[in-house]
Amino acid sequence: MTTNKDLISSAATHVQDTLEKMGKKLAPSHANELTAAYMGYGSKKALIDSREYDLNDPEMVLSLTPDLTKLGEKVRKLRPDLLQKLPLPAIGRLIKTGLTPPCECCGYRLGAVVPITSGRRGNVDGWVCMHCVDREDAYGTCRYCDDASVYRAQTLNHAGECPDHAGESSMDIEEEAGWESLAEYWQNH
């Protein structure tokens, strides 16, 4: 795969390759049209002309609102013999996976690839699949953020907290006294 491809071309190639592995053939133009439809447009040209999305921004997928209605219309128009046998949400997930950058650790383009949050929530510092998060010590999740918020291990403190939640697991004197009092109460009752 060439690195000069825009995200639509990369997604279309991903759709084609995945379908080919299933023994199905899809023309590149059809794969591009499906991707554009998923993004709410009738064609790749219409998508490009709209300038709504930066097609070279790897974070574009985070702000994308999928249009499954338009995708369904395109599926009925293009290769109904092939595409209508697949559930529409599955085609949408396939396209979304193609629009998402590959994992920086294993290099695979998977549905389980998530952004790596850098320092403060909302800033993307790369992309990694959840399989690599579970296998590699270089990544982790904050004990207070949702499990989809992945950080580089050096961003988390010794208590497993991100910068936004640093210190939340430490109790001040009043909180500690309150918990001790509650524990004593339950031990005596």
Side-chain angles (χ1 to χ4, degrees):
M1 181 171 84
T2 61
T3 56
N4 293 337
K5 284 186 173 183
D6 63 45
L7 292 172
I8 306 309
S9 297
S10 294
T13 300
H14 177 73
V15 169
Q16 282 182 275
D17 292 349
T18 303
L19 291 175
E20 191 173 299
K21 288 175 187 171
M22 298 168 53
K24 313 293 183 189
K25 186 87 169 126
L26 184 67
S29 60
H30 290 179
N32 277 297
E33 284 188 61
L34 289 173
T35 303
Y38 178 79
M39 296 176 70
Y41 292 89
S43 68
K44 182 176 179 180
K45 180 172 179 1
L47 172 61
I48 291 169
D49 289 348
S50 77
R51 299 183 188 268
E52 180 178 358
Y53 297 106
D54 176 356
L55 302 183
N56 294 303
D57 178 9
E59 295 178 34
M60 179 205 58
V61 71
L62 298 174
S63 62
L64 177 64
T65 303
D67 190 336
L68 292 182
T69 303
K70 188 164 284 295
L71 179 61
E73 293 167 3
K74 191 60 75 173
V75 163
R76 286 187 292 281
K77 179 182 171 191
L78 303 172
R79 294 291 313 267
D81 58 318
L82 165 64
L83 299 170
Q84 286 185 355
K85 294 178 183 175
L86 300 172
L88 198 56
I91 297 171
R93 283 190 302 274
L94 180 61
I95 294 168
K96 181 180 181 189
T97 299
L99 291 169
T100 304
C103 174
E104 70 179 24
C105 187
C106 68
Y108 289 115
R109 198 176 284 276
L110 305 167
V113 172
V114 296
I116 300 169
T117 305
S118 68
R120 299 280 178 202
R121 294 188 72 169
N123 295 332
V124 176
D125 185 33
W127 297 80
V128 65
C129 73
M130 294 307 289
H131 305 292
C132 289
V133 170
D134 291 340
R135 286 192 330 241
E136 302 291 330
D137 292 335
Y139 310 101
T141 57
C142 172
R143 62 192 294 180
Y144 297 106
C145 295
D146 60 64
D147 287 339
S149 294
V150 174
Y151 297 86
R152 296 195 185 281
Q154 68 265 21
T155 304
L156 301 172
N157 65 19
H158 68 281
E161 302 163 332
C162 71
D164 287 342
H165 294 110
E168 287 190 25
S169 61
S170 301
M171 289 189 259
D172 62 26
I173 295 170
E174 289 178 17
E175 288 174 313
E176 195 170 326
W179 279 106
E180 287 174 5
S181 175
L182 183 62
E184 184 179 321
Y185 171 81
W186 284 110
Q187 285 177 350
N188 294 327
H189 288 89

